[in-house]
Amino acid sequence: MTGHEVGPTLRTDDAGWLLTERGWEADRSVAVGSNFLAGNGYLGYRGTTPEQGPDEYVALVVTDTYDCADGHWRELTTAPNPLFVAASIEGTIVAATAADEVETTLDLRSGTVGARIVQRVGEATVTIDVERFASYDDLHVLAQRWTLRSDREVVVDVDARIDDRIWSLNGTHLPEVRLDTEGDVRIATATTVDSGVEIVTLAHLTGPTGTATVAAGDELVVETAAVVMTSNDVDDPGPAARARLAAAAAAGFDALASANTDRWREIWETMDVVVEGDVVDQVGLRFSAYHNRICTPAHTDRLPIGARGLSCQAYQGAAFWDQEVYNLPPFLWTEPDIARSILVYRHLTLDGARRKAARLGYDGAYFAWISGDTGDELCPDVFFTDVLTGRPIRNHFNDWQMHVAPDVVTLVERYVAVTGDVDLLVDHGAEIAFEVARFLHSFVRYDEWRGVYHCIRLLGPDEWHENVDDNAFTNHQVRRALAFAVETHERLAADHPEALAALADRIGLRSDEIDGWRRVRDRMLLPQPDDDTDLIEQFAGFFELEDVRPDDVRARLLDPGEYWGWPNGVAVATQVSKQPDVVMLLWQQAGAFDDDVARANYEYYEPRCAHGSTLSQAAHGMVAIRIGDLDRALDHFRRTALVDLRNTAHAVVGGTFIGGIHTAACGGTYQLAINGFGGLGV
């Protein structure tokens, strides 16, 4: 295989734009399908070959199609597959799973996914070439060109259609798919089982289907223009989808491809970062930028960035704190309007955050740990099962991991500081900051003896240690969010008094509430570096835990599938963390601590971190750059940039975890490049 090695079966070209995967292996199919995703923020089509089906995890994931089919998981829906094309010769299907040669490509310049299948059938050698893209010119359009050649004359049976066999993680979202044909157009109409969203999938086919004779050296070409629309796009998606399909079919594959390439050229003009010296670093960065862009619903401000984007249904197509801390910041420097829309989404879903706060007995708005289209909490009480006992494990991601609320506020602050967009602050950000401040004021607990406010019963960024008090990252973020809320109130009072009065009237804000925010801000317990060691304790009592390393803890497992965390996992009584916690604080609040403190805490906490999350490497890399350890920073960069390409992340087929693109790692990679190595800072 030519090119530069990225992984055992993966190469890139000399320019760092083209990725090529050689071969098809069952244990790589999940990763390849995600890595070679064609997407545009509205839909994502996994990097499978046209003849494949649910067993190979073919999926067309469509945004804004949230549905709960199993009573437990509310997730995005996978639509019928409009790009199915299969060829059989003398009863033998030409397929990636049986081919002599298979090659999958992704041209990052245009988001074009390619495939080549070479298979010996009788005396003939048959080659199928595929080109596919999700259009950025019309987000509802998918296009595919399928070409078959043979070195001998063959009779081919071509089956081109919409495949209504649908792979889904957690239940059947489309119990009835109605199929129809109108001339060259194939039609699939279905309605989600719980939410009642109508999904219309259309495919216009050009080229011979059925039985055809292909002479040696000739080509048999099938082109598919497909359109997907839902009743969340327009009230009656059928006619609207037909109109779009007619336009796409009239344009043809080449014109559609050209328009898509032009749009990608515009995106790359602002997004691309050139790396000199190592082409694998270059392609890893571009791969990350590509996926961070196509996972983002830039066409709307109503929807979140999913933790697996549109590469599969894992993590429900919903936002975590990853969205603000990892995915959003790259757009501050490239396409700030997209960063703005992400924050507007948080404003539009404040009612869901208010409902969560009220349900748990708090005031204001408590943002969901897993947030979909409404902002209501999607995270269930039970995420894991104890493999030793078979009993469910009650994790408290949805009620103790409250740092998501101040995290959102700190990104409002950062956005306004970078862009100077005061309108965002007045129209959206102030209400976010005030409602979160209300929540934080009701959450903290006052210690009259010491005269300080505490945050108790927490789950910080390190998800293995639950039910802890005064987590350093959380407490510092709480104080910062309250300070910003107070500053915003003062700023609006001085510069936009009418807007402030209208907002205060709408949400019932009283002046004594701001006094309360000031008191908590000024008296918040903020864990500080030790005078002798410069170490910041991760949470109260952390240094009393057993001081061991991840390998020591791993050796204690009775079963490799054990959950390491709370309440009784092997890491709970130790200082081993799943992911950065104090190191995350040093990244997100770099100005609060000097370089000596950053160095001492990086050196202490990094060896005790198991890097059990793809959020981990970017945070460590940012702090390593700060302390001047560029070798380790580069190692962190490569680990996060290549985590999906080399398939080194946890990916279990079935249940919640099906792999998928780790979109936060993509955003973190980009931040490491421009904010870290590039010197833009936090």
Side-chain angles (χ1 to χ4, degrees), residues 533-555:
T533 65
D534 279 338
L535 295 181
I536 302 169
E537 191 168 31
Q538 182 171 311
F539 53 79
F542 178 84
F543 288 142
E544 298 171 15
L545 300 176
E546 183 184 9
D547 186 9
V548 292
R549 299 295 185 272
D551 285 345
D552 300 320
V553 173
R554 188 174 290 105

Side-chain angles (χ1 to χ4, degrees), residues 639-659:
R639 289 178 184 273
T640 192
L642 302 176
V643 64
D644 286 314
L645 287 173
R646 290 179 175 168
N647 195 27
T648 54
H650 179 61
V652 177
V653 176
T656 302
F657 301 101
I658 186 61

Side-chain angles (χ1 to χ4, degrees), residues 65-77 168-173 193-195 313-318 320 369-370 377-385 395 397-398 654-657:
T65 56
Y66 293 96
D67 185 66
C68 185
D70 67 347
H72 189 63
W73 298 99
R74 191 166 187 261
E75 61 192 3
L76 293 177
T77 301
S168 187
L169 266 184
N170 298 295
T172 301
H173 296 280
V193 65
D194 179 61
S195 58
Q313 294 167 299
Y315 289 111
Q316 302 162 267
F320 293 65
W369 186 242
I370 303 180
E377 182 63 77
L378 297 182
C379 182
D381 291 345
V382 174
F383 231 77
F384 303 108
T385 300
N395 301 106
F397 306 121
N398 57 10
T656 302
F657 301 101

Side-chain angles (χ1 to χ4, degrees), residues 588-612:
Q588 292 300 302
Q589 296 205 30
F593 306 98
D594 64 30
D595 291 347
D596 289 340
V597 170
R599 182 175 295 102
N601 283 275
Y602 175 89
E603 296 293 354
Y604 186 85
Y605 282 103
E606 197 281 331
R608 292 163 176 80
C609 181
H611 298 292

Side-chain angles (χ1 to χ4, degrees), residues 183-428:
D184 294 330
V185 177
R186 309 296 188 265
I187 305 164
T189 307
T191 302
T192 57
V193 65
D194 179 61
S195 58
V197 177
E198 182 182 3
I199 302 176
V200 175
T201 307
L202 305 179
H204 179 276
L205 299 173
T206 302
T209 59
T211 302
T213 300
V214 181
D218 285 354
E219 293 184 344
L220 189 158
V221 180
V222 176
E223 294 181 357
T224 306
V227 167
V228 181
M229 294 197 77
T230 80
S231 56
N232 283 334
D233 301 321
V234 292
D235 291 338
D236 187 0
R242 282 174 169 80
R244 286 178 182 268
L245 184 68
F253 183 89
D254 288 332
L256 293 174
S258 178
N260 175 63
T261 299
D262 288 345
R263 183 68 187 97
W264 267 110
R265 186 179 297 111
E266 294 172 359
I267 293 171
W268 282 116
E269 282 177 358
T270 57
M271 186 172 69
D272 191 29
V273 176
V274 176
V275 176
E276 296 180 353
D278 192 317
V279 71
V280 175
D281 293 338
Q282 176 72 85
V283 79
L285 177 55
R286 285 185 175 140
F287 174 86
S288 299
Y290 168 82
H291 277 286
N292 196 56
R293 187 60 166 77
I294 68 172
C295 78
T296 301
H299 60 286
T300 181
D301 55 18
R302 298 187 303 101
L303 297 171
I305 299 174
R308 294 294 181 271
L310 298 169
S311 64
C312 64
Q313 294 167 299
Y315 289 111
Q316 302 162 267
F320 293 65
W321 69 306
D322 314 8
Q323 173 175 269
E324 278 72 29
V325 176
Y326 286 83
N327 300 113
L328 182 155
F331 295 114
L332 291 174
W333 312 101
T334 57
E335 298 176 274
D337 286 349
I338 296 178
R340 189 184 208 276
S341 72
I342 296 167
L343 295 175
V344 172
Y345 157 78
R346 288 296 192 180
H347 182 244
L348 293 175
T349 55
L350 266 174
D351 281 346
R354 291 183 179 109
R355 286 189 287 270
K356 176 177 177 177
R359 175 170 53 83
L360 295 174
Y362 302 115
D363 299 330
Y366 180 179
F367 282 111
W369 186 242
I370 303 180
S371 179
D373 54 343
T374 68
D376 290 287
E377 182 63 77
L378 297 182
C379 182
D381 291 345
V382 174
F383 231 77
F384 303 108
T385 300
D386 189 325
V387 297
L388 302 179
T389 66
R391 295 171 180 163
I393 298 173
R394 170 63 166 109
N395 301 106
H396 291 271
F397 306 121
N398 57 10
D399 57 355
W400 292 352
Q401 201 160 10
M402 50 75 69
H403 65 82
V404 62
D407 295 342
V408 171
V409 174
T410 60
L411 262 296
V412 173
E413 177 186 28
R414 185 175 172 192
Y415 169 84
V416 174
V418 170
T419 66
D421 184 357
V422 178
D423 288 343
L424 181 281
L425 183 66
V426 173
D427 297 337
H428 308 285

Side-chain angles (χ1 to χ4, degrees), residues 65-187:
T65 56
Y66 293 96
D67 185 66
C68 185
D70 67 347
H72 189 63
W73 298 99
R74 191 166 187 261
E75 61 192 3
L76 293 177
T77 301
T78 47
N81 172 20
L83 303 183
F84 181 87
V85 184
S88 61
I89 300 170
E90 299 176 358
T92 298
I93 295 178
V94 182
T97 54
D100 299 292
E101 298 177 25
V102 179
E103 193 172 87
T104 307
T105 60
L106 171 60
D107 189 337
L108 295 164
R109 290 168 296 189
S110 60
T112 301
V113 177
R116 169 166 288 186
I117 298 171
V118 180
Q119 185 171 325
R120 185 79 173 174
V121 181
E123 297 297 317
T125 298
V126 179
T127 301
I128 292 176
D129 286 302
V130 181
E131 296 174 77
R132 174 194 306 142
F133 59 89
S135 175
Y136 253 115
D137 186 57
D138 184 338
L139 301 182
H140 297 273
V141 172
L142 278 165
Q144 179 175 277
R145 173 181 282 158
W146 179 97
T147 304
L148 181 146
R149 301 187 309 278
S150 174
D151 63 351
R152 293 173 181 262
E153 182 177 290
V154 290
V155 177
V156 183
D157 290 314
V158 179
D159 180 11
R161 55 185 166 86
I162 296 178
D163 189 357
D164 63 348
R165 301 171 301 157
I166 298 172
W167 166 60
S168 187
L169 266 184
N170 298 295
T172 301
H173 296 280
L174 303 176
E176 180 184 0
V177 179
R178 299 174 294 282
L179 297 175
D180 200 0
T181 299
E182 295 178 0
D184 294 330
V185 177
R186 309 296 188 265
I187 305 164

Side-chain angles (χ1 to χ4, degrees), residues 2-55:
T2 60
H4 302 264
E5 180 179 313
V6 179
T9 59
L10 187 62
R11 296 290 189 276
T12 183
D13 65 334
D14 291 340
W17 284 108
L18 185 69
L19 282 162
T20 302
E21 176 90 18
R22 180 68 60 86
W24 189 92
E25 300 176 11
D27 61 357
R28 283 278 295 168
S29 63
V30 171
V32 172
S34 300
N35 292 343
F36 290 79
L37 183 77
N40 58 20
Y42 176 82
L43 55 81
Y45 191 98
R46 287 175 59 80
T48 49
T49 49
E51 81 289 349
Q52 293 182 327
D55 290 344

